[in-house]
Amino acid sequence: MHPDLFKLFGIAFPSYFVLLLTGFLFATAAGALWARRIGLSADVIVDLGLAMLLAGVAGARILHVIADGYFWDYVHLCTDPARVDWPLDKGECLSSAYDGVWDAAKNVCHPKGADCFAWAKFWAGGLTYYGGLLGAGVAAWFLLKRDKFPFWKAADMAGFAVPLGLAFGRMGCLMAGCCFGATCDLPWAMSFPWKSPASEEQFKAHLLPSAKLWSLPVHPTQIYESAASLAIAAACLLWVHPRKRYDGQVFAAFLALYAVARFLIEFLRRDDRGGLLGLSTSQLIGIGLLALAWAIHARLGSRKAPAPALASPPA
């Protein structure tokens, strides 16, 4: 696990954000090549990539704050820090790294001061993919309408570019240790070091006798989703795109395929994700996305098929 991929001039660059940005660069480059191939403006796609990055991070952070089970921690961090418990021992709590307040009665650590803007500090971790997808989608809608760029053609581009970028982002999750899976004894199971989210969660669940132990072997759900995303990108680009009957079909296929893959992977995850009716927040959103994919197909499927030249994937 490498939360910080490297340091430059004393500044640490988190692995997750480096790989997230790498994914956006690859996705934007693939989109720009696609636009140029079919005779549309590549500059619009580059602008779109930047706008979707900013809106996606904002959406991912907002959904994390609301739905991942930390909402009241952020509220209490602003109004009453003594109600926020950090999973640290006394030495760590009083160290310069955390500078917390040790509560001997409860044997827990509390933040020393209030922080009413902790919810906005996305660089500290805590992003949800579906929140990013929704935020980026809203930004794309307004930007493409403004530039009079064919919306559903751009959506088809997103159908193979977005999962390509997500494959990089999930490897960043692996290096950061987040989005971990349930314990298992499979040959490819992975253990994470102490202080990792997996180790802390297993200690709180009484699966580990100490918080200073490596986690029990778990499903590498980050790798599962990265591999699924690459497979979806390949299927949408190499199979669906050349055979599509209408603009928007590739995007609908992406929504459906990713929703199903994520729904299944969620059963193996054990990080905090919120939920309702026995399903996680992501599973509930996935059901909504399946309905949206069906609605897109039902509405657009009866339209005239696009010209063959526009249906060809980029080289």
Side-chain angles (χ1 to χ4, degrees), residues 94-109:
L94 301 178
S95 68
S96 59
Y98 293 97
D99 192 25
V101 177
W102 182 250
D103 187 337
K106 296 182 178 180
N107 203 36
V108 297
C109 183

Side-chain angles (χ1 to χ4, degrees), residues 9 26 38 72 87 105 113 119 130 147 154 179 184 231 238 243 288 307 309:
F9 304 115
F26 268 86
I38 66 173
W72 287 111
W119 64 271
Y130 274 139
D147 292 335
C179 308
C184 71
L238 302 177
R243 295 167 176 81

Side-chain angles (χ1 to χ4, degrees), residues 130 262-264 266-267 278-287:
Y130 274 139
R262 179 65 181 271
F263 190 94
L264 296 175
E266 282 288 303
F267 285 117
L279 297 176
S280 71
T281 301
S282 293
Q283 287 175 317
L284 293 171
I285 293 175
I287 293 173

Side-chain angles (χ1 to χ4, degrees), residues 13-33:
F13 288 79
S15 301
Y16 177 76
F17 284 105
V18 172
L19 287 169
L20 178 67
L21 290 173
T22 301
F24 263 96
L25 288 174
F26 268 86
T28 302
L33 290 172

Side-chain angles (χ1 to χ4, degrees), residues 168-187:
F168 284 89
R170 284 307 181 199
M171 295 312 294
C173 292
L174 178 68
M175 299 186 74
C178 62
C179 308
F180 57 91
T183 57
C184 71
D185 57 1
L186 294 170

Side-chain angles (χ1 to χ4, degrees), residues 29-310:
L33 290 172
W34 164 86
R36 183 172 297 176
R37 175 69 179 270
I38 66 173
L40 295 174
S41 173
D43 292 339
V44 171
I45 300 301
V46 173
D47 293 342
L48 179 65
L50 178 59
M52 291 179 68
L53 172 61
L54 298 176
V57 169
R61 183 63 176 178
I62 291 172
L63 188 61
H64 159 74
V65 171
I66 295 174
D68 274 359
Y70 298 102
F71 178 79
W72 287 111
D73 281 345
Y74 288 113
V75 173
H76 294 148
L77 192 54
C78 178
T79 60
D80 186 5
R83 299 180 66 179
V84 179
D85 297 337
W86 284 346
L88 305 171
D89 60 28
K90 184 176 180 180
E92 294 173 312
C93 179
L94 301 178
S95 68
S96 59
Y98 293 97
D99 192 25
V101 177
W102 182 250
D103 187 337
K106 296 182 178 180
N107 203 36
V108 297
C109 183
H110 304 300
K112 178 176 288 187
D115 186 354
C116 293
F117 296 97
W119 64 271
K121 296 178 179 178
F122 62 87
W123 56 88
L127 298 172
T128 60
Y129 168 70
Y130 274 139
L133 180 63
L134 294 173
V138 171
W141 175 269
F142 284 103
L143 188 64
L144 291 170
K145 289 294 183 182
R146 186 200 68 181
D147 292 335
K148 298 180 179 180
F149 194 97
F151 178 81
W152 288 113
K153 288 189 183 298
D156 280 346
M157 176 272 296
F160 60 79
V162 170
L164 176 63
L166 179 60
F168 284 89
R170 284 307 181 199
M171 295 312 294
C173 292
L174 178 68
M175 299 186 74
C178 62
C179 308
F180 57 91
T183 57
C184 71
D185 57 1
L186 294 170
W188 56 82
M190 301 182 68
S191 292
F192 290 89
W194 72 285
K195 286 189 177 182
S196 67
S199 176
E200 292 176 354
E201 185 66 27
Q202 290 178 4
F203 173 68
K204 289 191 293 183
H206 307 293
L207 297 176
L208 292 175
S210 169
K212 293 188 176 181
L213 293 174
W214 279 59
S215 76
L216 299 174
V218 298
H219 283 282
T221 46
Q222 309 94 328
I223 297 178
Y224 295 169
E225 189 168 344
S226 181
S229 297
L230 285 176
I232 291 170
C236 287
L237 176 63
L238 302 177
W239 179 261
V240 182
H241 200 293
R243 295 167 176 81
K244 71 175 186 176
R245 297 184 294 104
Y246 58 89
D247 290 332
Q249 186 174 358
V250 180
F251 183 69
F254 154 65
L255 288 181
L257 290 171
Y258 180 77
V260 171
R262 179 65 181 271
F263 190 94
L264 296 175
I265 292 172
E266 282 288 303
F267 285 117
L268 299 177
R269 282 179 57 168
R270 289 297 181 269
D271 54 314
D272 291 328
R273 300 175 317 289
L276 184 68
L277 302 176
L279 297 176
S280 71
T281 301
S282 293
Q283 287 175 317
L284 293 171
I285 293 175
I287 293 173
L289 289 183
L290 276 174
L292 177 60
W294 177 86
I296 292 172
H297 179 72
R299 180 182 178 186
L300 303 180
S302 59
R303 295 184 178 181
K304 183 180 178 181
L310 297 183

